[in-house]
């Protein structure tokens, strides 16, 4: 990318295929690398930096908390936990929350809740319905729930107890579970993130809710990536007018400070008792302050409305740009969670877009993913299109390998 010497990591495990750049600082929706090059941030730390970078209200609040208490442990009450839990239950219509540090941990807790739910019903080997192309994390249990053989390879044997079905097919769900008394839950992302920005249809969500009610199953919705205002609602499933029984959260909840949560309703909220589950770092005062301040700022600055408005503008602009372009299959998603699916693997676009000054990601091999901060403006959305379109056009004009 540059003749300037690039960063290396000889002592760090090589778990990532990194671009040869290191970030130095950011402001709003822009970041600068250690060589001084500027980038428009269309990735938001993978849907994490809700308020962008160096937010003028978030940073002083976190600085204030740093001078008071960062960590105390869950041997003691943490007042911020109750404050943030009360807010999340208000926004979701659910009743209780458990705090952890990551989306993986939140999803792991959801799986444990489902098994506990089953055991309390007398089911010895509970089974959970999961989905093709899903991504729920990289622990052994969440990896087993994930629908990507590539990232599962080399880590078997996987955890048993999962039934996999295709998206948006209620008949397939009914057929896969028919006559099975061990099913306890259905677990899915409202919009699959790593799987390629694949939305669940609203009518399908309502059908699954009705089936879970009929069968006395838990409806567990992974809102780790698509939640926290990213689609223009607090949680993406709210577009369908439904409520889950269990809802893992993370990513955008703390605007970059590591935080995860499991929010639950009456069927699941009291399943965990002391000793059933826990965490060392989860729910610490700094993370709770980050969550509380993030939600406050989102409400005051009307960032849900901004995500819906700017996201719709960005999607329309992308559709206009790519609608007649051979090689572009679809622009999809909602709010500021958008994907552009090409007809071929396009991993090189990650590097080429960065060279052009735009950060994004490529997921599911052939889907360009845009999940920028929720403070993105119309002008910045237009800038994303102006940078990205020539990169995609040049790529599609190349002979296929």
């Amino acid at each position: 990318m540059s003749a300037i010497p690039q960063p290396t990591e000889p002592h760090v495990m090589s778990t990532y295929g990194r671009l040869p750049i290191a970030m130095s600082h950011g402001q709003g929706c822009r970041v600068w690398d250690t060589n001084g090059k500027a980038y428009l941030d269309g990735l938001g730390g993978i849907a994490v930096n809700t308020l962008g970078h160096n937010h003028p209200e978030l940073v002083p609040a976190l600085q204030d908390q740093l001078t008071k208490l960062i960590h105390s442990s869950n041997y003691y009450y943490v007042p911020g936990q109750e404050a943030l839990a009360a807010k999340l239950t208000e926004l979701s219509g659910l009743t209780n929350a458990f705090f952890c540090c990551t989306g993986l941990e939140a999803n792991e807790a959801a799986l444990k809740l489902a098994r506990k739910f089953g055991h309390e019903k007398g089911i010895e080997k509970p089974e959970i319905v999961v989905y093709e192309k899903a991504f729920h994390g990289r622990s052994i249990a969440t990896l087993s729930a994930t629908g990507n053989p590539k990232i599962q390879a080399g880590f078997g044997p996987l955890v048993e107890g999962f039934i996999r079905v295709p998206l948006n097919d209620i008949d397939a769900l009914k057929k896969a579970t028919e006559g099975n008394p061990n099913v306890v839950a259905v677990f899915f992302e409202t919009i699959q993130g790593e799987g390629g920005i694949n939305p669940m249809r609203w009518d399908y969500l309502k059908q699954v809710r009705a089936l879970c009610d009929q069968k006395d199953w838990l409806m567990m919705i992974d809102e780790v990536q698509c939640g926290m205002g990213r689609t223009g609602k607090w949680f993406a499933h709210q577009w369908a007018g439904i409520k889950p029984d269990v809802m893992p959260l993370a990513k955008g909840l703390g605007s970059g400070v590591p935080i995860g949560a499991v929010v639950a309703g009456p069927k699941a909220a009291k399943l965990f008792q002391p000793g059933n589950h826990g965490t060392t770092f989860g729910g610490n005062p700094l993370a709770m302050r980050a969550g509380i301040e993030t939600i406050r700022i989102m409400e005051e600055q009307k960032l849900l409305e901004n995500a819906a408005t700017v996201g719709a503008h960005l999607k329309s602009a992308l559709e206009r740009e790519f609608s007649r372009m051979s090689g572009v299959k679809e622009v999809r998603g909602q709010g500021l969670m958008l994907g552009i699916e090409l007809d071929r693997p396009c991993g090189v676009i990650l590097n080429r877009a960065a060279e052009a000054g735009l950060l994004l990601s490529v997921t599911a091999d052939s889907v360009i993913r845009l999940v920028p901060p929720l403070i993105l403006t119309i002008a910045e959305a237009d800038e994303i299109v102006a940078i990205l379109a020539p990169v995609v056009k040049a790529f599609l004009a190349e002979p296929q390998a």
Side-chain angles (χ1 to χ4, degrees):
M1 293 181 66
S2 169
I4 301 172
Q6 302 299 339
T8 61
E9 294 180 320
H11 300 98
V12 176
M13 287 189 183
S14 54
T15 51
Y16 306 104
R18 304 187 198 269
L19 297 186
I21 53 180
M23 297 308 169
S24 166
H25 63 283
Q27 184 65 51
C29 288
R30 297 184 192 275
V31 292
W32 286 260
D33 68 20
T34 51
N35 295 323
K37 180 178 173 65
Y39 305 83
L40 181 59
D41 189 358
L43 185 60
I46 316 180
V48 167
N49 296 317
T50 300
L51 304 178
H53 305 277
N54 195 27
H55 192 280
E57 294 185 42
L58 179 66
V59 170
L62 297 182
Q63 289 171 330
D64 173 71
Q65 186 62 48
L66 286 168
T67 67
K68 294 176 177 176
L69 196 63
I70 297 173
H71 177 79
S72 62
S73 98
N74 285 298
Y75 279 128
Y76 320 107
Y77 286 101
V78 179
Q81 288 190 20
E82 178 56 30
L84 183 54
K87 192 63 184 179
L88 289 173
T89 56
E90 173 195 328
L91 298 175
S92 65
L94 302 178
T95 61
N96 295 83
F98 167 82
F99 294 106
C100 50
C101 299
T102 66
L104 179 154
E105 292 171 83
N107 285 333
E108 189 88 18
L111 297 176
K112 286 181 68 174
L113 280 171
R115 287 197 169 186
K116 189 80 160 50
F117 177 73
H119 282 289
E120 294 201 356
K121 293 172 67 175
I123 299 172
E124 184 179 350
K125 293 185 176 181
E127 296 184 65
I128 300 167
V129 176
V130 292
Y131 284 77
E132 295 173 0
K133 300 182 181 180
F135 181 85
H136 298 294
R138 296 179 186 271
S139 68
I140 292 298
T142 56
L143 188 66
S144 302
T146 288
N148 186 337
K150 286 185 178 180
I151 67 169
Q152 292 172 332
F155 298 104
L158 299 176
V159 175
E160 61 182 16
F162 294 103
I163 301 167
R164 198 167 305 282
V165 299
L167 275 71
N168 293 316
D169 187 340
I170 195 66
D171 291 332
L173 173 56
K174 290 177 179 178
K175 183 178 180 181
T177 57
E178 185 176 2
N180 186 342
N182 294 325
V183 177
V184 295
V186 181
F187 186 37
F188 59 88
E189 303 151 272
T190 316
I191 303 175
Q192 292 181 336
E194 303 300 321
I197 315 297
N198 303 309
M200 294 285 192
R201 295 196 314 267
W202 297 348
D203 63 324
Y204 178 76
L205 293 174
K206 292 176 182 178
Q207 291 171 329
V208 175
R209 177 70 271 180
L211 187 62
C212 288
D213 291 339
Q214 176 190 337
K215 300 285 190 178
D216 193 29
W217 298 339
L218 294 179
M219 186 184 205
M220 307 199 307
I221 303 185
D222 176 349
E223 291 269 353
V224 167
Q225 187 166 151
C226 58
M228 292 312 301
R230 182 144 295 278
T231 67
K233 297 276 191 185
W234 283 106
F235 313 110
H237 67 264
Q238 291 176 328
W239 289 102
I242 61 167
K243 284 184 194 177
D245 299 300
V246 178
M247 179 179 67
L249 300 171
K251 287 192 179 288
L253 179 54
S255 297
V257 175
I259 179 174
V262 182
V263 191
K267 285 177 71 171
K270 306 300 182 183
L271 288 169
F272 283 160
Q273 295 298 311
N276 289 155
H277 199 57
T279 169
T280 296
F281 294 105
N284 70 71
L286 179 63
M288 296 302 94
R289 184 73 180 270
I292 292 165
E293 297 293 343
T294 294
I295 292 173
R296 176 187 65 80
I297 293 167
M298 289 177 69
E299 289 182 322
E300 291 179 358
Q301 299 188 359
K302 301 187 185 310
L303 293 188
L304 269 67
E305 293 90 334
N306 190 70
T309 301
V310 178
H313 176 88
L314 177 56
K315 186 180 181 186
S316 294
L318 291 168
E319 287 172 336
R320 285 194 303 272
E321 194 69 41
F322 296 127
S323 62
R324 294 188 177 88
M325 190 180 300
S326 177
V328 178
K329 296 178 69 174
E330 186 180 17
V331 177
R332 59 176 176 261
Q334 190 163 4
L336 288 173
M337 184 174 183
L338 300 175
I340 306 157
E341 184 177 6
L342 306 187
D343 66 355
R344 67 203 70 173
C346 60
V348 297
I349 284 180
L350 183 70
N351 189 79
R352 295 181 185 182
E355 289 179 340
L358 174 64
L359 302 182
L360 47 73
S361 73
V362 171
T363 190
D365 294 330
S366 59
V367 180
I368 301 165
R369 173 174 51 177
L370 294 168
V371 280
L374 302 193
I375 61 170
L376 192 79
T377 65
I378 293 286
E380 288 166 336
D382 288 339
E383 190 177 349
I384 287 175
V385 178
I387 296 172
L388 181 58
V391 172
V392 174
K393 289 176 182 178
F395 169 74
L396 292 174
E398 297 171 359
Q400 293 193 53

